[in-house]
Amino acid sequence: QSALTQPASVSGSPGQSISISCIGGNSDIGNYNLVSWYQQLPGIAPKLFIYEVSKRPSGISHRFSGSKSGNTASLTISGLQAEDEADYYCCSYAGGNTWVFGGGTKVTVL
Amino acid sequence: QVQLVESGGGMVHPGTSLRLSCEASGFPFKMHGMHWIRQAPGKGLDWVAVVWHNGRIKEHADSLKGRFIISRDNSKNTLYLQMDSLRVEDTGVYFCAREGDSGTYSFDLWGRGTLVTVSS
């Protein structure tokens, strides 16, 4: 159950697009289309933003999109806004009723 | 109101035990798998354990097997985490989370968390 690998930080200017990568392995991301992404604001519980690689829950902006290629998943934020500044975590089902998270990425809006 | 409310956290000494609870309301608790996820201070999320909707299947993170046990009581709409032989590195906020509808394998509802501090 090794943690997924995310960049520690990503930044962008308002209006730009940024992407956050999430690197796993053949036993998690590479084997299941069950990647989810969570946004966490300071001092608040995480919130689901993407599930099953690319699906958005009701109420989540279309500016957020997810994708996957091989063992790597990605979250893209288009039209970056100040309110998007937060920590983002990827998570994948890893088989055998276990899940694994990434280390988290801090998104800064310049 | 659809919500999860954790309780039972606190400050304890290494080697002692603690039982966390998570009370669910506003949705059919018995229809959802439930998870515990923790976050050490200033660190990332760490998946702890899952229990299926009917309580028959449980799984724990390898590093916690033998010390932590997840359980649920569907008659009380409550999820539990029994934590034994606590270590300093178990310090953190413990969240309970609902697994989404069948097949999504994601966490669509979270509680606010309860803080566990293990210190001598």
Side-chain angles (χ1 to χ4, degrees):
Chain A
Q1 294 169 350
S2 299
L4 307 175
T5 300
Q6 296 181 236
S9 63
V10 173
S11 62
S13 299
Q16 285 187 328
S17 292
I18 61 170
S19 288
I20 302 169
S21 61
C22 173
I23 303 172
N26 294 329
S27 61
D28 39 64
I29 293 178
N31 202 32
Y32 303 96
N33 290 321
L34 296 171
V35 178
S36 51
W37 289 88
Y38 303 85
Q39 180 195 67
Q40 187 177 32
L41 298 170
I44 296 177
K47 179 180 179 180
L48 178 65
F49 264 54
I50 296 287
Y51 67 99
E52 291 181 353
V53 176
S54 60
K55 297 179 180 179
R56 279 184 306 274
S58 173
I60 299 302
S61 170
H62 285 70
R63 297 187 298 105
F64 292 83
S65 61
S67 62
K68 189 190 95 166
S69 178
N71 294 342
T72 301
S74 298
L75 174 71
T76 299
I77 308 176
S78 305
L80 197 63
Q81 299 180 2
E83 67 197 48
D84 300 332
E85 193 161 285
D87 293 327
Y88 292 84
Y89 294 90
C90 61
C91 181
S92 176
Y93 180 66
N97 289 302
T98 66
W99 279 254
V100 61
F101 279 95
T105 298
K106 182 177 182 60
V107 168
T108 301
V109 181
L110 302 172
Chain B
Q1 185 179 3
V2 177
Q3 64 177 1
L4 299 168
V5 180
E6 302 93 337
S7 61
M11 181 176 288
V12 297
H13 293 300
T16 60
S17 299
L18 206 57
R19 188 175 86 153
L20 306 183
S21 299
C22 168
E23 186 169 349
S25 59
F27 68 94
F29 180 71
K30 65 181 180 181
M31 301 295 288
H32 290 265
M34 295 295 298
H35 298 251
W36 286 101
I37 295 160
R38 68 181 183 179
Q39 186 170 35
K43 301 297 184 181
L45 301 171
D46 189 24
W47 178 79
V48 173
V50 61
V51 57
W52 281 24
H53 64 97
N54 56 15
R56 292 178 184 174
I57 301 293
K58 306 174 185 180
E59 191 56 69
H60 303 78
D62 284 344
S63 61
L64 300 175
K65 286 181 180 178
R67 294 196 303 122
F68 287 18
I69 298 176
I70 191 172
S71 63
R72 66 190 296 161
D73 185 338
N74 285 346
S75 69
K76 296 181 179 179
N77 288 345
T78 302
L79 175 72
Y80 303 101
L81 184 68
Q82 177 66 40
M83 305 186 296
D84 297 328
S85 302
L86 282 163
R87 304 169 180 170
V88 171
E89 55 264 35
D90 294 321
T91 294
V93 175
Y94 285 71
F95 299 100
C96 65
R98 181 182 77 178
E99 191 169 329
D101 290 339
S102 180
T104 67
Y105 290 74
S106 58
F107 317 116
D108 69 347
L109 179 67
W110 296 63
R112 291 186 174 185
T114 186
L115 177 62
V116 173
T117 304
V118 185
S119 175
S120 55

